[in-house]
Amino acid sequence: AIAAWEAVVPRRDRRFKRSERWPQNLALPVINNLLLLLVAPGAEVAVAIAAQSHGWGLLPALALPMWAQSAAAVVLLDLAVYAQHRVFHVVPALWRMHRVHHADTDFDVTTGVRFHPLEIAVSTAFKCAVIAAIGASPLAVIAFEILLNASSMFEHANGRLAASVDRGLRWIVVTPDMHRVHHSSVIVETNSNFGFNISWWDRLFGTYRAQPAAGHDAMEIGLEIFRNADEVRLDRVLAQPFRSA
């Protein structure tokens, strides 16, 4: 649905054709999911089941109704992913993994699933630790992962929203125009708008930036060090964390 939306009413012109970028971008989630199935199938839900069985974590200790625990777990997991995202921009070894996502010189729905397998592994381990610490239920974990994946594709869409709709939505959720700023090649803009689902965290922690300085039509997407046409190849993408700048 998002791919159809951005095809009908695109926000920006593309630098590369879909046929040049999409096979590589879409190969990454296939690789990532196959690796997770082999190495840690259902890891996050398994940790949630263990937490529920043993009464681990903050939320069970509060003795809230199950619906309140689930809602709180989704919000806390979203806050944790925001914090994780900021750390990935600060720690050099983690940035090398995460820059695969930022090296895409176009911004569309497939950017939302373009993550290196190493980043997915680290992120899964981190989320498992958070799930155990807060005592998130299996239902809350599944709901959160559905929201996270859906919002990642939505906020990376090259689809046009009316300005009034965008202004209203971004008080609650991250919109494509809000998140596109984060993919700017200007470093102060790259280090802003870290949220995935809920837009409150950026406002609360001072990382919110409303618009790119150059405007959405003129802003440059991606990283200066990975701009030539060869960088869209899958082998180059997978090797990025191990290559010098």
Side-chain angles (χ1 to χ4, degrees), residues 68-152:
Q69 285 192 40
S70 296
V74 170
V75 173
L76 289 172
L77 282 166
D78 197 59
L79 174 59
V81 169
Y82 166 85
Q84 173 194 274
H85 195 177
R86 290 192 67 174
V87 171
F88 265 94
H89 276 250
V90 173
V91 178
L94 297 177
W95 170 246
R96 279 177 169 266
M97 304 173 195
H98 185 58
R99 72 185 184 186
V100 168
H101 179 63
H102 280 270
D104 200 351
T105 53
D106 278 314
F107 181 94
D108 67 16
V109 62
T110 65
T111 311
V113 295
R114 178 189 159 117
F115 296 96
H116 196 275
L118 288 175
E119 178 174 0
I120 294 299
V122 172
S123 179
T124 300
F126 173 73
K127 284 187 284 186
C128 284
V130 174
I131 289 164
I134 66 175
S137 69
L139 179 62
V141 170
I142 292 168
F144 173 73
E145 284 297 332
I146 291 170
L147 284 171
L148 183 65
N149 283 276
S151 63
S152 183

Side-chain angles (χ1 to χ4, degrees), residues 16 21 24-25 33 43 63 79 83 92 107 136 151 176 206 216 225 233-234 236:
F16 291 102
R21 289 176 51 255
Q24 289 79 359
N25 282 6
N33 281 289
L79 174 59
F107 181 94
S151 63
H216 283 282
I225 56 175
R233 286 174 17 207
L234 183 60
R236 304 282 289 178

Side-chain angles (χ1 to χ4, degrees), residues 11 166 170 177 181 189 193 208-216:
R11 183 69 170 87
D166 177 83
R170 68 166 64 189
D177 273 15
V181 179
E189 294 177 349
N193 296 6
Y208 176 69
R209 185 174 292 268
Q211 302 294 337
H216 283 282

